[in-house]
C-alpha cells in the first residue's frame, strides 16, 4: 500500500463507518466473519501505517540530509553568499564570506553591508544598491571592501532578487515580506590587479614621453606609442608591419648596426645615441635603448626600443662645449682648448721626433684704444685682428685667443729646428706686415701693432706651461725693444726672468729689513731761487751693493704687490718729513711723491693717503702726487676717476715725464691735473738740440693755454735755467740745484735767503 496518508485515513474511516452502519441495519451482532475481516483489515492497516511511518521517517531523513548538504553547499560554496534586506542589512552570510572578510558570523549578520564597503566606493555602492531593486537586470558590481586585516580586496558583487518567503528567518520578518537580495561575492582582487597592471602598462605606453616601438622577432614593427609619432612624425599605421629601417638617417654605417645587434644578442640590451630621420626628412638624434624580450622557451619574441629625442640637448651641449672651448668674440679657440691642443701637439711632435713653435702675441697699446674709444670698438678691433692672424698661417696652425689682447699661435710639424725657426720668423714678419695696414672699422680707421715672442719645442720648453711662459718672456722682450717686432726666446731671457723673480723676493725681504730710505730733491723757483717743495725719491740701502737707485728695482716691485707696501712706506715717510720741515718754520713747502701704476689703481688708495695725512696732521694741499703720462694714458678711464677723488681730498696732481707719453691735447683736456713736469730728456739737450727746443716750447705753450703749472726736471746747467726762465717756465729741479739727498742733508734757507747753499760749487 502506498499513497497519501490523509486519503488512507479517509478510506479507513469510510470503511469502518460502513461496517458499523450495516450492523445497525441487520439488527444482528457482527458475524465472526465480519470481525475477522475487520481485525484483518485493522492489522493490515496497522502494518501499513507502520510501513508508512518508516517511509516517512526515511523521507524525513533524506530531507534532513539534503538540507544538510544544501547547508554545507551554502556554507562552504567557493562563492560568498549574503542575504540582504532592502536596507542592506545582512540577514544571512555563509562561511566563505566570513573567511573573505575575516569576521565571524555574529560580526557580520545583523550589520549593514555598507560597513564593509571601501570608503571611496560608497557612492557607487549606494547608487547601485537601490538599482538592484528597481532594475534587477543590472546585477553585477565590482566593489572594493575593507576586510578585518585593514586591507582592501576587490570583489564581484552579484545580486539576485529573491522572494522573501524563501528566506524566512523569524515570524516578524515573514510578515515584512519584502524582497530580499541574494548576493554572491567573489574575490576578484587578483584579476583586478592584473587588469590594473595591464591598464597601467597601456597607459604608460601611451603617455610615456619616451618614444616606444615594439618589434617582433622578424623585425616587423608591431606597436608604437604617441611619443613615437610625435618624435618620428610617423603615425602608427605608417610603420606597423614595416621594419625600423624606415627610420634610418644614413649617418651610421653597417658596422655601427652590426655591433649594436651583436651586443643585443650577447647581453640582451643596447643603449646609445643614434641619428634617425623623421617623416619630413629632418635628421634627429635620439638616445635609444633596445631590450630583447624572450618567450617561455627562451626564444626572442620581441624587441622593445625606447628613445628620447636629444637633438636639442645635444645642440645645447655643443653650444656649451663651444662656449667652454671657444672665445665667443673672435670664435678662436680659447685658453682651455689651446692648452689641450698644444698638449696633444707636444705628444705627437715628441713621438715623431718633430718640432713645433709657440708664438705669443700681445697687441701694442690696445688698452689705449679700448679705454679711449670704448669696449665696443676694442671688441671690433679684436675680431679684425683675429681674422688677420688666421689669414697669416696654415690650416694646421692653431690660432687661439689667450686672453684680453693676447693671442697664441701654434705652428706644428717641422722637420728640424732651423726650419721651425725660419718658418716662424716668416709668419711673424707676415703678421707684423698685416698689422701695418690700419684696421678699417665703421667707427674709423685704427692703427695697431703687435709684439711677438717665439719659443720652439723641444729646445725652449717641454711642456705647455714652459713653452707659453718662454714665448711670453720673448714677447716681453719684443715690447721692451720698442714694440712692433718679434723676438726668439733665448736662455739669457730666462736668466733675466730668474733675476726678476729673485729681485721681487729681495725687495720683499728688504722692505721687511727696512733697507729702503727716502731721499729728497728740492724744486726751485727759478726767479727767486727759493725752494718751493721737494720730491721724495726712494733709495735701497743694499748691504752688498750699497745705494741702489729706483730704476734698478721699481719695475720689479711693480710686478708684485711689493710696490704697494713700499709705496705706502714712502708716502708716510715723506709726509712725516714734510711735517717736520713745516714745524721747523718752512710752512709753504710742498712734497711730491711718485705713484706707480699699481699703486694708482689699487682699490683703497684714497683711504691710505687720507689715513697718512690725518696721522701726520698734514694739510692735503701740501701733497703733490706725480703720475707718469704713459700710466695715465694706458688707464685713462680708471685714472680719471681716481685723480678726481684724490683732488677732491685736496691733493694736487702732476703729470710726470711729460712729453714722452701719448697724451694728445684732446685727452689732456679731460685729465684733472694741476701741473706738467717736462721730462728730463728734453731738458738735457735743450740748448744744443733744436728739436727739443720745439718740444719744450710747445709743452710750455700747451701748459699756458690750459692754465697748468709747469716744472722742468733734470736741470743741470745755467743755460738751461736761463732758457726756461725766458720761455716762462719758473720752476726747476735738477743737479744744478741739488741731487736727491737724505733729509738731514737738505738745507732749507730761511724764506728771504737765497738758496746759494744749494748751488753746486
Ligand atoms: P722721476 O720721477 O722722473 O724722478 C726724477 C729722476 O731724475 C730721479 O732719479 C732723479 O735722481 C733724477 N734726476 C734729478 N735731477 C737730475 C739731473 O739734473 N740730471 C739727471 N740726469 N737726473 C736727475 P731716480 O731717483 O733714480 O728715480 C728714477 C725714477 O724712479 C723716478 O723718475 C721715478 O719714476 C722712480 N721713482 C723714484 N722714487 C720713487 C718712488 O718713491 N716711488 C715710485 N713709484 N717711483 C719712484
Ligand atoms: Ca717724479
Ligand atoms: Ca720725471
Amino acid at each position: 500500500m502506498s499513497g497519501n496518508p490523509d486519503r488512507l485515513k479517509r478510506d479507513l474511516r469510510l470503511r469502518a463507518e460502513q461496517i458499523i452502519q450495516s450492523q445497525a441495519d441487520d439488527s444482528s451482532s457482527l458475524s465472526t466473519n465480519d470481525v475477522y475481516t475487520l481485525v484483518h483489515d485493522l492489522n493490515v492497516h496497522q502494518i501499513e501505517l507502520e510501513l508508512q511511518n518508516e517511509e516517512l521517517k526515511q523521507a524525513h531523513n533524506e530531507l534532513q540530509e539534503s538540507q544538510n548538504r544544501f547547508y554545507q553547499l551554502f556554507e562552504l560554496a567557493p562563492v560568498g553568499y549574503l542575504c540582504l534586506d532592502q536596507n542592506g542589512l545582512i540577514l544571512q552570510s555563509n562561511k566563505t564570506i566570513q573567511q573573505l572578510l575575516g569576521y565571524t558570523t555574529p560580526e557580520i549578520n545583523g550589520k549593514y553591508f555598507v560597513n564593509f564597503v571601501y570608503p571611496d566606493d560608497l557612492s557607487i555602492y549606494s547608487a547601485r544598491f537601490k538599482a538592484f531593486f528597481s532594475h534587477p537586470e543590472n546585477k553585477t558590481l565590482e566593489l572594493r571592501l575593507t576586510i578585518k586585516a585593514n586591507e582592501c580586496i576587490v570583489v564581484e558583487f552579484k545580486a539576485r532578487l529573491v522572494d522573501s518567503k524563501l528566506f524566512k528567518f523569524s515570524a516578524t520578518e515573514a510578515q515584512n515580506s519584502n524582497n530580499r537580495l541574494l548576493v554572491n561575492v567573489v574575490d576578484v582582487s587578483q584579476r583586478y590587479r592584473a587588469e590594473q597592471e595591464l591598464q597601467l602598462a597601456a597607459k604608460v605606453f601611451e603617455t610615456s614621453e619616451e618614444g616606444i616601438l615594439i618589434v617582433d622577432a622578424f623585425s616587423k614593427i608591431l606597436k608604437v606609442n604617441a611619443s613615437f609619432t610625435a618624435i618620428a612624425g610617423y603615425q602608427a599605421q605608417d610603420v606597423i608591419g614595416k621594419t625600423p629601417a624606415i627610420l634610418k638617417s644614413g649617418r651610421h654605417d653597417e658596422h655601427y648596426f652590426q655591433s649594436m645587434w651583436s651586443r643585443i644578442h650577447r647581453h640582451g640590451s643596447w643603449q646609445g645615441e643614434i641619428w634617425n630621420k623623421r617623416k619630413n626628412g629632418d635628421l634627429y638624434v635620439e638616445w635609444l635603448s633596445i631590450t630583447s624580450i624572450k618567450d617561455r622557451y627562451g626564444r626572442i619574441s620581441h624587441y622593445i626600443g625606447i628613445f628620447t629625442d636629444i637633438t636639442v640637448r645635444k645642440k645645447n651641449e655643443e653650444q656649451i662645449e663651444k662656449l667652454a672651448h671657444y672665445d665667443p668674440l673672435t670664435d678662436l679657440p680659447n685658453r682651455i682648448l689651446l692648452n689641450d691642443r698644444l698638449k696633444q701637439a707636444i705628444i705627437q711632435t715628441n713621438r715623431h721626433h718633430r718640432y713645433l713653435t709657440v708664438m705669443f702675441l700681445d697687441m701694442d697699446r690696445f688698452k689705449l684704444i679700448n679705454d679711449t674709444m670704448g669696449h665696443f670698438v676694442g671688441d671690433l678691433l679684436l675680431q679684425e685682428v683675429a681674422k688677420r692672424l688666421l689669414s697669416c698661417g696654415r690650416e694646421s696652425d692653431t690660432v687661439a685667443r689667450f686672453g684680453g689682447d693676447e693671442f697664441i699661435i701654434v705652428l706644428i710639424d717641422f722637420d728640424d729646428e732651423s726650419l721651425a725657426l725660419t718658418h716662424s720668423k716668416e709668419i711673424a714678419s707676415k703678421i707684423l706686415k698685416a698689422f701695418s695696414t690700419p684696421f678699417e672699422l665703421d667707427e674709423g680707421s685704427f692703427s695697431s701693432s703687435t709684439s711677438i715672442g717665439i719659443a720652439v719645442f723641444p729646445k725652449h720648453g717641454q711642456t705647455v706651461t714652459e713653452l707659453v711662459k718662454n714665448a711670453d718672456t720673448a714677447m716681453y722682450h719684443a715690447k721692451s725693444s720698442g714694440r712692433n717686432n718679434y723676438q726668439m726666446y733665448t736662455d739669457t731671457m730666462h736668466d733675466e726672468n730668474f733675476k726678476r723673480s729673485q729681485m721681487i723676493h729681495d725687495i720683499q725681504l728688504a722692505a721687511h729689513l727696512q733697507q729702503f730710505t727716502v731721499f729728497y730733491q728740492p724744486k726751485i723757483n727759478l726767479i727767486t731761487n727759493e725752494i718751493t717743495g721737494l720730491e721724495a725719491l726712494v733709495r735701497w740701502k743694499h748691504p752688498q751693493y750699497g745705494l741702489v737707485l729706483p730704476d734698478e728695482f721699481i719695475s720689479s716691485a711693480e710686478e708684485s704687490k711689493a710696490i704697494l707696501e713700499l709705496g705706502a712706506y714712502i708716502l708716510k715717510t715723506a709726509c712725516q718729513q714734510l711735517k717736520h720741515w713745516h714745524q721747523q718754520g718752512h710752512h709753504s713747502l710742498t712734497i711730491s711723491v711718485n705713484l706707480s701704476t699699481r699703486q694708482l689703481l689699487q682699490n683703497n688708495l684714497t683711504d691710505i693717503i687720507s689715513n697718512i695725512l690725518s696721522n701726520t696732521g698734514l694739510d692735503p694741499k701740501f701733497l703733490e702726487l706725480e703720475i707718469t703720462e704713459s700710466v695715465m694714458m694706458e688707464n685713462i678711464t680708471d685714472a680719471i676717476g681716481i685723480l678726481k677723488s684724490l683732488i677732491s681730498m685736496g691733493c694736487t696732481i702732476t703729470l710726470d715725464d711729460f712729453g714722452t707719453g701719448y697724451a694728445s691735447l684732446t685727452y689732456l683736456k679731460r685729465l684733472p691735473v694741476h701741473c706738467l713736469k717736462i721730462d728730463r730728456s728734453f731738458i738735457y739737450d735743450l740748448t744744443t738740440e733744436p728739436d727739443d727746443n720745439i718740444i719744450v716750447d710747445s709743452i710750455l705753450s700747451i701748459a699756458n693755454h690750459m692754465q697748468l703749472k709747469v716744472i722742468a726736471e733734470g736741470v743741470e746747467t745755467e743755460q738751461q735755467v736761463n732758457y726756461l726762465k725766458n720761455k716762462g717756465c719758473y720752476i726747476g729741479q735738477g743737479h744744478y740745484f741739488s741731487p736727491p739727498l737724505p733729509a738731514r742733508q737738505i738745507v732749507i734757507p730761511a724764506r728771504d735767503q737765497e738758496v746759494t747753499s744749494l748751488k753746486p760749487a
Side-chain angles (χ1 to χ4, degrees):
M1 177 176 168
S2 64
N4 188 322
D6 287 345
R7 222 179 81 208
L8 198 75
K9 266 189 207 159
R10 243 186 358 257
D11 284 353
L12 278 176
R13 166 156 291 206
L14 201 66
R15 287 192 60 193
E17 274 173 3
Q18 277 174 354
I19 290 167
I20 291 166
Q21 188 67 52
S22 69
Q23 282 171 349
D25 289 348
D26 291 350
S27 359
S28 60
S29 60
L30 287 170
S31 71
T32 319
N33 223 3
D34 285 343
V35 171
Y36 175 80
T37 313
L38 194 63
V39 170
H40 172 79
D41 275 358
L42 279 171
N43 279 339
V44 170
H45 282 303
Q46 169 79 20
I47 290 163
E48 249 179 354
L49 277 173
E50 277 168 12
L51 285 173
Q52 219 174 12
N53 198 28
E54 268 306 301
E55 266 180 39
L56 272 174
K57 245 191 202 157
Q58 198 170 336
H60 176 76
N61 280 348
E62 275 171 14
L63 189 68
Q64 192 69 42
E65 255 174 49
S66 114
Q67 239 177 13
N68 275 348
R69 262 203 310 281
F70 168 76
Y71 178 72
Q72 294 268 329
L73 267 174
F74 175 79
E75 283 293 304
L76 301 173
V79 177
Y81 281 112
L82 286 171
C83 181
L84 306 181
D85 77 0
Q86 269 197 316
N87 299 316
L89 187 75
I90 302 171
L91 302 172
Q92 202 179 14
S93 62
N94 72 348
K95 272 239 161 49
T96 314
I97 200 124
Q98 290 152 22
Q99 281 162 359
L100 211 62
L101 297 177
Y103 292 103
T104 59
T105 316
E107 286 172 323
I108 296 176
N109 292 358
K111 297 267 161 56
Y112 286 96
F113 184 71
V114 74
N115 288 317
F116 301 100
V117 175
Y118 183 69
D120 284 359
D121 288 4
L122 281 176
S123 56
I124 305 178
Y125 169 75
S126 315
R128 292 294 296 277
F129 185 78
K130 283 194 197 99
F132 284 134
F133 291 93
S134 48
H135 303 283
E137 63 279 10
N138 293 332
K139 289 182 295 197
T140 337
L141 169 62
E142 208 168 66
L143 207 56
R144 287 175 294 177
L145 304 181
T146 312
I147 61 172
K148 188 161 186 179
N150 218 7
E151 279 168 23
C152 181
I153 58 168
V154 184
V155 297
E156 192 178 72
F157 185 95
K158 213 176 228 171
R160 187 153 48 94
L161 272 181
V162 288
D163 195 327
S164 60
K165 277 176 240 148
L166 279 176
F167 281 86
K168 274 186 228 157
F169 298 98
S170 67
T172 31
E173 276 173 42
Q175 273 140 33
N176 256 334
S177 64
N178 288 319
N179 288 338
R180 306 249 184 266
L181 272 190
L182 179 63
V183 179
N184 55 31
V185 177
V186 183
D187 184 354
V188 293
S189 300
Q190 250 178 340
R191 188 189 78 196
Y192 179 82
R193 258 176 240 128
E195 273 171 15
Q196 290 289 304
E197 270 167 33
L198 267 180
Q199 270 178 20
L200 206 66
K203 192 111 193 138
V204 170
F205 180 81
E206 256 331 293
T207 58
S208 165
E209 287 205 11
E210 295 171 311
I212 304 176
L213 128 131
I214 301 174
V215 174
D216 69 11
F218 312 102
S219 281
K220 293 270 176 301
I221 298 172
L222 289 181
K223 207 166 156 56
V224 294
N225 70 348
S227 291
F228 170 92
T229 304
I231 296 169
Y234 290 101
Q235 297 296 328
Q237 66 267 23
D238 296 337
V239 292
I240 285 172
K242 308 235 166 80
T243 76
I246 192 173
L247 304 167
K248 270 192 184 173
S249 66
R251 275 221 180 176
H252 306 285
D253 56 10
E254 270 317 300
H255 176 75
Y256 187 87
F257 291 107
Q258 270 163 17
S259 71
M260 174 177 110
W261 283 112
S262 91
R263 194 178 162 88
I264 296 172
H265 291 134
R266 266 183 295 126
H267 301 281
S269 67
W270 175 89
Q271 280 203 342
E273 268 180 30
I274 191 159
W275 281 93
N276 273 343
K277 190 154 67 179
R278 299 189 217 275
K279 192 179 180 182
N280 66 9
D282 287 352
L283 297 193
Y284 66 101
V285 57
E286 62 184 33
W287 179 259
L288 170 65
S289 71
I290 300 179
T291 311
S292 60
I293 306 292
K294 289 184 174 155
D295 66 12
R296 67 186 126 132
Y297 303 109
R299 299 171 302 198
I300 287 177
S301 62
H302 296 93
Y303 298 98
I304 301 182
I306 300 179
F307 60 93
T308 37
D309 186 342
I310 55 167
T311 316
V312 174
R313 195 183 82 195
K314 206 148 165 85
K315 239 184 226 152
N316 289 343
E317 276 172 9
E318 276 165 12
Q319 193 70 29
I320 290 166
E321 156 81 14
K322 192 156 185 233
L323 279 177
H325 289 126
Y326 286 84
D327 165 44
L329 181 67
T330 59
D331 259 347
L332 294 179
N334 66 8
R335 205 179 180 130
I336 296 167
L337 184 56
L338 170 84
N339 273 336
D340 231 49
R341 287 211 187 151
L342 187 50
K343 203 164 153 190
Q344 290 309 316
I346 288 173
I347 293 168
Q348 291 300 322
T349 308
N350 200 26
R351 184 173 298 154
H352 301 109
H353 307 290
R354 300 185 73 75
Y355 296 81
L356 67 78
T357 58
V358 174
M359 303 174 67
F360 198 113
L361 290 88
D362 187 296
M363 290 173 67
D364 301 329
R365 305 207 175 281
F366 173 74
K367 208 165 164 28
L368 185 61
I369 293 177
N370 213 28
D371 285 351
T372 54
M373 297 306 297
H375 289 233
F376 178 68
V377 174
D379 284 355
L380 289 179
L381 183 61
L382 285 171
Q383 286 173 337
E384 290 307 309
V385 165
K387 280 186 206 154
R388 284 200 193 173
L389 291 179
L390 283 170
S391 72
C392 291
R394 302 170 298 182
E395 189 88 345
S396 59
D397 303 336
T398 296
V399 179
R401 182 165 176 216
F402 198 61
D405 58 344
E406 295 170 339
F407 296 87
I408 280 189
I409 304 180
V410 180
L411 309 173
I412 55 164
D413 213 16
F414 296 111
D415 293 338
D416 58 49
E417 195 180 300
S418 74
L419 262 176
L421 284 174
T422 39
H423 186 77
S424 307
K425 284 178 183 172
E426 274 167 25
I427 299 276
S429 308
K430 211 167 155 185
I431 292 170
L432 294 176
K433 189 153 176 279
F435 272 67
S436 66
T437 328
F439 292 85
E440 302 296 341
L441 308 178
D442 288 346
E443 285 67 21
S445 161
F446 295 89
S447 296
S448 183
S449 62
T450 176
S451 301
I452 307 173
I454 305 171
V456 184
F457 171 87
K459 193 181 182 189
H460 299 147
Q462 311 277 326
T463 63
V464 173
T465 321
E466 270 176 1
L467 283 167
V468 170
K469 193 179 120 227
N470 290 341
D472 183 25
T473 302
M475 184 279 293
Y476 185 86
H477 272 259
K479 288 260 182 215
S480 48
S481 355
R483 302 181 165 106
N484 193 23
N485 71 104
Y486 66 82
Q487 298 286 329
M488 299 299 307
Y489 177 76
T490 63
D491 286 341
T492 51
M493 290 178 184
H494 177 265
D495 296 344
E496 286 164 31
N497 256 1
F498 176 73
K499 275 193 209 143
R500 226 178 15 244
S501 60
Q502 183 64 39
M503 177 68 98
I504 290 170
H505 174 257
D506 288 354
I507 291 169
Q508 279 159 341
L509 193 66
H512 186 68
L513 298 172
Q514 300 188 314
Q515 290 174 351
F516 292 108
T517 183
V518 181
F519 277 31
Y520 298 89
Q521 186 177 36
K523 297 190 286 187
I524 307 297
N525 181 323
L526 301 182
I527 308 294
T528 63
N529 265 349
E530 276 176 342
I531 300 180
T532 61
L534 298 105
E535 179 176 5
L537 293 158
V538 69
R539 299 289 180 264
W540 183 355
K541 285 196 283 185
H542 200 284
Q544 245 177 305
Y545 308 122
L547 206 62
V548 182
L549 293 175
D551 282 341
E552 299 280 319
F553 61 87
I554 284 289
S555 65
S556 298
E558 264 277 283
E559 282 175 34
S560 75
K561 285 193 175 149
I563 192 70
L564 302 181
E565 209 183 312
L566 182 57
Y569 167 77
I570 296 162
L571 265 166
K572 195 179 89 185
T573 313
C575 289
Q576 282 170 345
Q577 182 58 50
L578 184 68
K579 185 72 191 173
H580 182 68
W581 281 320
H582 279 187
Q583 281 163 348
Q584 287 184 340
H586 311 292
H587 300 293
S588 61
L589 288 184
T590 60
I591 188 83
S592 302
V593 179
N594 296 285
L595 285 187
S596 69
T597 321
R598 218 178 168 131
Q599 258 180 299
L600 183 74
L601 299 180
Q602 71 182 312
N603 284 336
N604 52 349
L605 177 68
T606 45
D607 293 345
I608 291 171
I609 293 180
S610 75
N611 276 341
I612 290 173
L613 288 171
S614 68
N615 287 343
T616 47
L618 195 67
D619 188 329
K621 72 177 180 193
F622 295 109
L623 177 60
E624 280 184 20
L625 298 163
E626 293 194 5
I627 294 139
T628 60
E629 187 197 354
S630 49
V631 165
M632 284 295 304
M633 293 315 296
E634 282 176 20
N635 303 283
I636 196 149
T637 325
D638 297 334
I640 289 175
I642 296 165
L643 293 188
K644 279 186 178 157
S645 59
L646 292 173
I647 289 170
S648 68
M649 272 170 61
C651 302
T652 49
I653 308 291
T654 293
L655 215 47
D656 205 354
D657 300 349
F658 191 75
T660 58
Y662 296 82
S664 70
L665 262 184
T666 338
Y667 297 125
L668 201 54
K669 271 188 198 150
R670 290 173 58 196
L671 289 178
V673 297
H674 304 96
C675 179
L676 304 180
K677 196 177 211 181
I678 306 171
D679 189 67
R680 59 180 181 269
S681 62
F682 304 123
I683 307 299
Y684 182 72
D685 281 333
L686 196 56
T687 38
T688 49
E689 293 276 324
D691 267 3
D692 283 339
N693 285 3
I694 296 167
I695 292 172
V696 172
D697 291 356
S698 52
I699 292 175
L700 289 173
S701 88
I702 288 170
N704 185 36
H705 174 74
M706 296 181 66
Q707 295 178 315
L708 295 174
K709 287 210 282 184
V710 63
I711 175 172
E713 69 176 0
V715 178
E716 293 179 348
T717 66
E718 197 174 350
Q719 289 100 304
Q720 290 164 350
V721 175
N722 289 334
Y723 186 91
L724 291 165
K725 270 203 286 194
N726 279 338
K727 293 284 175 174
C729 173
Y730 303 116
I731 303 173
Q733 173 186 353
H735 291 165
Y736 178 70
F737 304 106
S738 167
L741 293 170
R744 61 191 150 72
Q745 289 182 31
I746 300 279
V747 183
I748 307 166
R751 220 180 139 62
D752 44 357
Q753 262 182 274
E754 243 189 304
V755 278
T756 41
S757 58
L758 290 170
K759 278 185 188 170

